[in-house]
Amino acid sequence: MGQVANKRPYHVDLAELMRVYETNYAKLNALLPTQPSVGDVRCYQAASMSYQILVGEVTKYTTLVDICQSDDVPVFPLPKMSVRLYHDARVAEVCSSDYLNRVKARYDYPNDKMVQKDEKAQLNRFLGDWLSFCLKHGISRSPLNI
């Protein structure tokens, strides 16, 4: 007879998530102006694809940026993401994405939008991969140290 799969509840691996946040903060800071202002835009060309980072909000302890692909017809579309950088803690996290207005730490599954239990962790790892790609292969359309 077949055995019933034992479902274990999903638990957020906080230590791993914080490592991802910290590395994303360092990578994103390398792509942003030294003293960002609201409205600052950075454009990058990487492997025939164009990406844009727009500074949407700057406060004493945080900066909010929107990241999107700026190609007319993207081959591999990047979801539009809002990322908040926390300067006092030196971390950056994805706050929202194309299909989620607010990214929760964990989701019940199945759900209405069919997002994964660990959607927040996946989005932040994806952001890290994308930032690494831009740092390794990207060409800025403007000087980085302004």
Side-chain angles (χ1 to χ4, degrees):
M1 294 221 138
Q3 286 184 301
V4 175
N6 203 4
K7 284 190 175 184
R8 294 184 308 185
Y10 170 73
H11 295 285
V12 176
D13 183 350
L14 189 57
E16 172 63 23
L17 197 55
M18 290 306 291
R19 278 191 292 276
V20 171
Y21 288 172
E22 289 169 354
T23 56
N24 285 352
Y25 180 85
K27 292 173 186 176
L28 196 49
N29 266 319
L31 295 171
L32 287 172
T34 308
Q35 297 292 325
S37 300
V38 174
D40 283 351
V41 176
R42 287 282 191 227
C43 296
Y44 294 93
Q45 187 76 30
S48 76
M49 294 175 275
S50 299
Y51 302 100
Q52 175 178 300
I53 301 173
L54 168 68
V55 178
E57 176 185 294
V58 177
T59 66
K60 186 174 182 180
Y61 297 109
T62 67
T63 301
L64 182 68
V65 298
D66 290 322
I67 300 173
C68 65
Q69 194 164 356
S70 54
D71 295 317
D72 291 334
V73 181
V75 178
F76 299 106
L78 171 77
K80 183 178 180 183
M81 291 185 265
S82 291
V83 180
R84 185 168 302 277
L85 291 86
Y86 299 91
H87 304 298
D88 52 346
R90 302 182 65 75
V91 296
E93 74 167 326
V94 176
C95 298
S96 66
S97 184
D98 271 346
Y99 51 91
L100 297 170
N101 291 334
R102 184 180 147 263
V103 183
K104 297 179 187 175
R106 64 178 227 76
Y107 291 88
D108 292 327
Y109 191 84
N111 53 62
D112 293 341
K113 293 187 179 182
M114 292 305 290
V115 295
Q116 298 297 311
K117 293 178 181 182
D118 64 340
E119 192 76 16
K120 184 176 198 105
Q122 287 187 38
L123 279 169
N124 281 285
R125 284 193 302 266
F126 175 77
L127 174 65
D129 292 344
W130 179 82
L131 293 170
S132 293
F133 175 74
C134 278
L135 286 167
K136 189 172 185 179
H137 302 288
I139 299 170
S140 175
R141 294 186 185 164
S142 60
L144 290 179
N145 295 336
I146 291 182

